Amino acid sequence: MAEHESLEFGKADFVLLDNVSLEEFMANLKHRFEKGRIYTYIGEVVVSVNPYRAMNIYGRDTIEQYKGRELYERPPHLFAIADAAYKAMKRRNKDTCIVISGESGAGKTEASKYIMQYIAAITNPNQRAEVERVKNMLLKSNCVLEAFGNAKTNRNDNSSRFGKYMDINFDFKGDPIGGHINNYLLEKVGGAQLMGILGGPESLLRSLHIQKDPTVYNYIKVGGHIKSCINDGADFKAVADAMKVIGFTGDEIQTVYKILATILHLGNLTFGVDGDITLIENSKVVSVIGDLLSTKEDNVEKALLYRTVATGRDVIDKQHTVQEASYGRDALAKAMYERLFCWIVGRINDIIEVKNYDARVHGKNTVIGVLDIYGFEIFQNNSFEQFCINYCNEKLQQLFIQLVLKQEQEEYQREGIPWKHIDYFNNQIIVDLVEQQHKGIFSVLDEACMNVGKVTDEVFLQGLNGKLAKHAHYTSRKLSPTDKSLEFDRDFRIKHYAGDVVYSVVGFIDKNKDTLFQDFKRLLYNSSNPVLKGMWPEGKLSITEVTKRPLTAATLFKNSMISLVENLACKEPYYVRCIKPNDVKSPLLFEQERCRHQVEYLGLLENVRVRRAGFAYRQTYPRFLQRYKMISEFTWPNHDLPSDKDAVRRLLQGCGFDHDVAYGKTKVFIRTPRTLFSLEEQRAEMVQRIVLFLQKVWRGTIARMRYRRMRAALVILRAYRRYKVKSYIREVNRRFKNVGSMKDYGRHVKWPTPPKVLRKFEEALRSIYNRWWAWTLIKGLSPEEALQVRAKVASLEALKGQRADLGLQRAWEGGVLFAGCRHAYISSITNTNMLCVSQINRFHKAEDRAVLITDRHLYKMDPLKQYKPMKSIPLYNVTGVSVSPGKDQLVVFHTKDSRDLVVCLQGMVPSTESRIGELVGTLLSHFKSEKRKLQVNISSPIQCSMNGRKCTVIVEAKINQSQPDFTKSRSGYILAVPGN
């Protein structure tokens, strides 16, 4: 049973129909077609309906879905049949074959291509170059044979006008190593099958004297309808490339083009008369034909107009009538095309055949055969070709029924199940009607062709009426005078398994005989083209040489069909039955009556009945258990019974189906589809519950796994963190272990990179170290040095990054703050500090003064009057100090009474030294010791208050300025300092 398809698409296997009737069969077939399901099983037979559209079901993904699977494990598909045939060949070492049948237009050729592509895709997994070459040649041979053997008919754009049976040889590993093709060409329509030559390049067409317009050539236009199956450049190139890949030489390919061009030109030859003489009216064409055939123009003309006849020892040239010449021309075209096609098949066989293969060394050579042959045909006018095609289908249908019945009977016997006889339509009687010795239609036709004198098709019909008058499946107008659907002396009717077909005997005699004059054979054999010469070996016979009568077309075809059936009968067969849904090539239309007729003549209902001979379904015990074991508590999840057979029996007994089954040796047989559907329903219900249970268990498992992973990750993370922390602390300890004895107390030691979790810890540790380092340095200083360090630290905190030179690198002088100040002795900040400055007086003029800073007051003194104090400012009245960010020495002392003191330090040695940092640091250190706050501002310009008035002090550098000097401005004052 085909799985994984919902019942909304219908029954995937016709064996599972509730009632085996034509109505139910057709309803299911139509339903699946409308739902886009073109494949359906009948047991192990695939029924394929031509979709008339491209379907995305043949790609690599689909191939992988069917590779190595059993038939029932996937929805019905061609790939399932191809895989089953391949597995039987590889696993059981059995030769297999795939028989593809159906009427013209049902999709047989496409089916064979997909099967070949599948086999090519699943073989040679090791990509051996030689195997890939063989696979490529086998696939390309399809392209070439399809181009030369198919034609466009009123029923099919790509109708097979030949039958093809390809044997693919495999080595013991299951890889293709070669093949062989048998062809069954019937219609020798000159040039109608491959007018793709018109799609060739301009240079080629010119060399062949061919025009691109197909309407110019009589052989490829029928009532204005062009019968070309390939007619563009792309198709032409594809065929040419395929021939090169297969191994055709350049000369061989050129010869093929020349023969096709010759056939086209032959169709345009016309004959006329001049008195008693038959003439060729367009003699220029003869010259072209002679050039293409590499022979003399005179020889071509003579072969077309005369027939050489040997009477004893005398040889005479008998001139043709216009009718005879036209007949000979057409016979030549048909014979050339037939010979070309057979030569192509033979050439392909020479290339792809298995060479140097020794079974004793390389193992057994197994075969998969693929048969793609013309389908049953019923036309408005049915002739010799349709008769042979339908005979072929009768033979294949007979083989099909016999093999299916044989397979069923053998399986029942193997399993020990009683066999029940099945009534079916046995078409052996029709096969005998055609091929029976002395009485069959072929025998009557051959006898008519061997008669001496003028033999007509009417004589052949009379012979049929005489020998088959009492046959139940044969009739004619003479035997049924009231049947007006038959013409007197022209028609006969055969009741085929596919339906009644009326045949016209017109042309039977000519098509059965070898009607090609020996003159044409000699003409082609004597060509200087070795390829063409090799196609006509019988042309070497002399005119007077007596030869054996050649076999007729009917006998040759009958023998080939008998050989084909014998070949298929010795292989394990697989079947693809193709159905054409409508005659208008619509992907949507399903013509009920049209399809019903095909279902009947394909014998599909008989096939279903054979498969349903008592039991609709059978399966091996292990696989049955694998699918249905969840239904029974005795078999889920695994049984403990003695055997799988006992387990299956217990399962079915528990479901109440024991009355509807039989137990074979290795398989269980279920009688009615309803039992199987009931099992499927119970399975679906249990599967849903199992899925929910599995989801619950799996989700719990996933949650526990996730928890364990998270917990493990956390443990690992903690351990890793501890490791990193310990490693970092150990490394810090190692590096800083002896810093107390180092000269710089470890300032040169590089800190290790901390883990992310210890970055703040590192900052704290660095701070602790810096404090220790500073304490270590400070504890060895004298009180004066400690006082200076504190002042420098205060200056650095206030001015760092805002003034360039703070004087931190030199020793601050402490007692003598400014060595360059005249007569200035300055004690420590606890006593006094004197500064030499330039100050702005009340007249807004600059004047030299000295500023003395004690621990309580700031004194302004006149250096010209022995530093007589001029003004006293208590330090508690000083609120802040402002300096500029430049290199100048401007200082503003801000006071609470808005009487700021604006000065510029001077008298430094050297003159470029800045004392601002020392001044600010000393003041800050003093204020800090008294736990008072001093505001330090760094800005430019500086805002201040002079005698209660707001003003601004701006610093400007001037090139010609020798020393700092204050001048008045609108907003306040300008301190001019020397420029660079």
Side-chain angles (χ1 to χ4, degrees), residues 92 117 154 171 207 299 393 438 457 486 599 608 845 869 952:
R92 304 201 302 270
Q117 288 172 10
N154 59 345
D171 62 13
S207 69
N299 293 342
N393 280 270
H438 308 301
D457 296 317
L486 301 172
V599 169
V608 176
K845 298 293 185 180
T952 304

Side-chain angles (χ1 to χ4, degrees), residues 830-874:
T830 56
N831 296 310
T832 58
N833 285 309
M834 182 181 289
L835 298 90
C836 297
V837 299
S838 176
Q839 180 231 336
I840 301 172
N841 62 20
R842 66 178 181 273
F843 303 108
H844 310 297
K845 298 293 185 180
E847 56 185 3
D848 290 340
R849 291 287 185 265
V851 174
L852 178 66
I853 303 174
T854 70
D855 55 353
R856 292 285 180 266
H857 292 82
L858 184 153
Y859 297 98
K860 181 176 71 171
M861 299 181 292
D862 187 352
L864 298 178
K865 297 180 180 181
Q866 285 81 35
Y867 296 99
K868 178 182 178 180
M870 299 177 64
K871 182 177 180 181
S872 171
I873 302 173

Side-chain angles (χ1 to χ4, degrees), residues 63 736 828 888:
I63 290 173
F736 289 88
S828 68
D888 57 88

Side-chain angles (χ1 to χ4, degrees), residues 844 897-900 943-952 968-973:
H844 310 297
D897 57 1
S898 299
R899 294 178 179 273
D900 297 347
Q943 304 295 327
C944 63
S945 296
M946 296 291 288
N947 299 318
R949 185 175 64 85
K950 299 288 185 181
C951 61
T952 304
K968 183 76 175 66
S969 69
R970 286 185 178 183
S971 60
Y973 304 95

Side-chain angles (χ1 to χ4, degrees), residues 133-134 136-146 148 162 164 166 178-182 239 242-243 245-248 252 340-355:
R133 184 188 70 84
V134 170
N136 198 23
M137 286 195 301
L138 290 172
L139 292 174
K140 293 297 183 182
S141 68
N142 249 350
C143 172
V144 175
L145 293 177
E146 185 180 326
F148 283 86
F162 78 111
K164 179 189 69 178
M166 175 182 283
H180 185 82
I181 298 169
N182 289 325
V239 175
M243 294 179 75
V245 169
I246 292 170
F248 286 85
E252 289 173 338
L340 172 64
F341 186 80
C342 294
W343 175 83
I344 289 173
V345 173
R347 189 74 181 86
I348 292 174
N349 282 333
D350 290 341
I351 296 169
I352 68 174
E353 70 177 356
V354 180
K355 301 177 180 68

Side-chain angles (χ1 to χ4, degrees), residues 152 195-199 214 226 228-236:
K152 184 171 184 176
M195 291 306 101
I197 193 173
L198 301 182
I226 306 303
S228 170
C229 72
I230 60 171
N231 52 16
D232 57 29
D235 289 334
F236 176 87

